[in-house]
């Protein structure tokens, strides 16, 4: 035996004692035992599919076995999770500083997901620029026309609605004074007088706040114009813009980035089209019911239900609660009870039929994840955060799945 050859492993002491198969002999904690434990940890890390973790565990094996392999593996995951958390926090901080631009780009992406198929269809019979212009500006004119129609209908019903609401408030007072509530007479009238006196005393402050919010209106108009501007170019040549951006990256990073981007866009476009279908279905059902029940402001309430559906889980119930209050003031408790039953029916139909049928192929998130995402988004960025939370989480999950499962024969 040469002097360079490694020493033989220690044999177990004691009569009849044999080491287990694959387990080195010697006392646990010895050199051979520690080397065996380190090799097992490296093998487990390799089987989990992470070469970086395997290298980290291999380097940690030189610590003399004082740190258990499970703790070393947890530490390797922990610092990576911390790095990802810091990156996400910095990304949201940057987006918060450029909120107007981020909202405009988000709206442009929504418009692109909705109008790109229409523009491609029109491009079969028209040149590409006129097809894009017709799809974008034609849809814009239709939306503005619907909003003008709703505003005209609301203005036409305003005079009649004021009288109905006054009578409805009296009916609500008499209803609350009877069983089972037994509210004392004059309580609601006193509250109404207090609100009126508060508005009278603080009229100047309220007017100044309204005027100070004019800047937000200018920002909203700026974001809408920027979104329209970006959507025209996204619909016209969004794929070429993406290919140019991808070609600026190192060649080794292009295939996984392209795979992640395709998964992200497919999920985002599917969610956008699906939520439009769900919102239109909810608004159609509610609108027909409100018109049949002759609830005041049925058309504006229908439009409110349509836009409220973009906030999952909580948007539709809030809009229908507003419709219930209007029905209670304008048509009485019986019609309000029917609208309240409508809230339950539409919620069940949306949760058990529309979402599984329309959204399951695009978004595969548990309802608990959706609820947490909506609440967290609303806490971070208000209504805008509640609207964008679910599509952002869906896109992140789609990108994770796309990068985790490599295609066969691909990068």
């Amino acid at each position: 035996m040469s002097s360079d050859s490694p020493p033989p492993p220690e044999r177990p002491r004691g009569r009849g004692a044999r080491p287990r198969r694959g387990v080195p002999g010697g006392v646990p904690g010895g050199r051979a035992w520690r080397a065996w434990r380190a090799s097992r940890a490296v093998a487990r890390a390799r089987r989990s599919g992470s070469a970086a973790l395997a290298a980290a565990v291999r380097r940690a094996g030189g610590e003399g076995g004082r740190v258990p392999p499970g703790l070393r593996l947890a530490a390797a995951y922990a610092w990576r999770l911390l790095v990802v958390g810091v990156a996400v926090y910095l990304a949201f901080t940057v987006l918060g500083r450029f909120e107007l631009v981020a909202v405009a780009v988000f709206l442009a992406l929504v418009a692109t997901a909705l109008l790109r198929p229409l523009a491609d269809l029109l491009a079969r019979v028209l040149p590409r620029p006129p097809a894009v212009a017709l799809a974008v500006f034609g849809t814009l004119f239709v939306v503005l026309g619907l909003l003008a129609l709703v505003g005209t209908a609301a203005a036409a019903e305003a005079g009649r609605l004021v009288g109905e609401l006054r009578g409805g408030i009296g009916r609500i007072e008499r209803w609350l004074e009877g069983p089972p509530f037994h509210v004392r007479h004059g309580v609601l009238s006193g509250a109404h007088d207090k609100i009126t006196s508060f508005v009278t005393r603080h009229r100047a402050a309220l007017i100044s706040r309204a005027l100070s919010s004019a800047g937000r209106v200018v920002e909203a108009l700026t974001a809408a114009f920027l979104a329209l501007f970006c959507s025209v170019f996204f619909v016209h040549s969004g794929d070429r813009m993406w290919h140019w951006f991808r070609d600026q990256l190192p060649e080794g990073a292009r295939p996984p980035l392209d795979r992640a981007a395709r998964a992200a866009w497919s999920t985002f476009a599917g969610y956008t089209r699906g939520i439009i279908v769900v919102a239109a279905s909810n608004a159609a059902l509610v609108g027909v019911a409100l018109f049949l029940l002759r609830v005041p402001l049925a058309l504006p309430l229908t439009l409110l239900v349509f836009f409220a559906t973009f906030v999952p889980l909580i948007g539709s119930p809030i809009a229908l609660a507003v419709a219930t209050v209007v029905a209670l003031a304008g048509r009485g408790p019986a019609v309000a009870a029917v609208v309240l039953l409508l809230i339950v029916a539409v919620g069940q139909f949306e949760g058990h039929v529309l979402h599984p049928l329309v959204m399951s192929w695009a978004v595969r998130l548990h309802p608990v994840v959706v609820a947490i995402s909506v609440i967290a988004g609303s806490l971070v960025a208000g209504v805008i955060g509640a609207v964008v939370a679910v599509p952002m989480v869906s896109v992140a999950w789609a990108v994770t799945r796309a990068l985790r499962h490599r295609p066969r024969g691909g990068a």
Side-chain angles (χ1 to χ4, degrees):
M1 180 181 298
S2 64
S3 59
D4 295 333
S5 61
E10 300 177 347
R11 300 299 299 173
R13 299 178 180 180
R15 180 178 298 177
R18 294 183 178 180
R20 290 179 297 171
R21 185 176 182 180
V23 179
V27 179
R31 180 184 302 174
W33 184 271
R34 292 197 301 270
W36 175 75
R37 290 290 299 273
S39 64
R40 290 290 300 273
V42 171
R44 284 197 300 270
R46 285 176 176 172
R47 285 197 298 270
S48 66
S50 176
L53 285 177
V57 173
R58 189 183 302 111
R59 289 193 300 269
E63 298 178 359
R66 291 187 296 271
V67 180
L71 183 58
R72 293 197 296 267
L73 191 64
Y77 272 111
W79 74 261
R80 285 169 173 82
L81 290 176
L82 288 176
V83 171
V84 172
V86 171
V88 172
Y89 174 77
L90 292 177
F92 275 98
T93 302
V94 172
L95 290 178
R97 296 294 297 270
F98 298 95
E99 180 182 0
L100 189 146
V101 178
V103 171
V105 172
F106 177 80
L107 294 178
L109 293 175
V110 170
T112 304
L114 296 176
L115 301 179
R116 182 63 185 264
L118 178 60
D120 293 341
L121 184 63
L122 293 175
R124 297 180 181 179
V125 295
L126 294 174
R128 185 71 182 179
V132 172
L134 183 60
V136 174
F137 293 102
T139 304
L140 179 63
F141 289 149
V142 170
V143 172
L144 292 179
L146 289 176
L147 293 177
L149 177 63
V150 171
T152 303
E157 294 184 6
R160 181 174 61 88
L161 181 62
V162 170
E164 290 185 354
L165 289 179
R166 287 177 179 174
I169 292 174
R171 288 195 298 267
I172 293 174
E173 291 180 358
R174 292 190 296 271
W175 178 54
L176 292 177
E177 289 172 3
F181 300 101
H182 298 289
V183 178
R184 289 186 294 106
H185 180 71
V187 172
L188 296 180
S189 300
H192 179 267
D193 295 338
K194 290 180 181 178
I195 293 174
T196 304
S197 62
F198 176 82
V199 172
T200 303
R201 289 195 309 267
H202 301 82
R203 181 178 300 173
L206 294 176
I207 292 175
S208 64
R209 286 187 180 181
L211 292 178
S212 64
S213 63
R216 302 294 295 179
V217 175
V218 174
E219 291 181 0
L221 292 177
T222 304
F225 178 78
L226 181 59
L228 178 63
F229 182 79
C230 293
S231 62
V232 172
F233 289 96
F234 289 168
V235 174
H236 180 268
S237 55
D239 50 351
R240 294 203 299 269
M241 296 170 67
W242 166 249
H243 290 157
W244 176 87
F245 174 77
R246 184 195 59 188
D247 293 341
Q248 309 308 310
L249 300 175
E251 187 173 356
R254 295 175 190 174
L257 182 63
D258 189 68
R259 190 167 67 250
R262 291 180 184 276
W265 177 248
S266 176
T267 301
F268 181 82
Y271 175 84
T272 303
R273 295 163 191 163
I275 199 66
I276 289 292
V277 172
V278 173
S281 303
N282 281 352
L285 292 174
V286 172
V288 170
L290 294 180
F291 274 110
L292 292 178
L293 295 172
R294 293 184 297 170
V295 175
L297 296 178
L299 191 57
L301 290 174
T302 302
L303 190 64
L304 176 64
V305 171
F306 176 80
F307 285 111
T309 309
F310 286 92
V311 181
L313 296 181
I314 63 175
S316 293
I318 292 176
L320 289 175
V322 175
T324 304
V325 173
V326 175
L328 180 62
R331 297 288 295 163
V335 176
V338 175
V339 176
L340 189 61
L341 293 176
L342 179 67
I343 295 177
V344 179
V346 171
Q348 295 296 318
F349 180 74
E350 178 185 350
H352 294 87
V353 177
L354 284 179
H355 271 283
L357 186 63
V358 177
M359 304 287 290
S360 61
W361 61 275
V363 180
R364 298 176 178 87
L365 296 179
H366 195 275
V368 173
V369 178
V370 174
I372 294 176
S373 302
V374 171
I375 300 301
S378 64
L379 292 176
V380 172
V383 177
I384 297 176
V387 172
V388 306
V390 176
M392 288 182 62
V393 173
S394 303
V395 166
W397 178 239
V399 170
T400 302
R401 287 190 293 124
L403 294 179
R404 181 184 300 171
H405 304 290
R406 289 188 175 186
R408 293 183 180 180

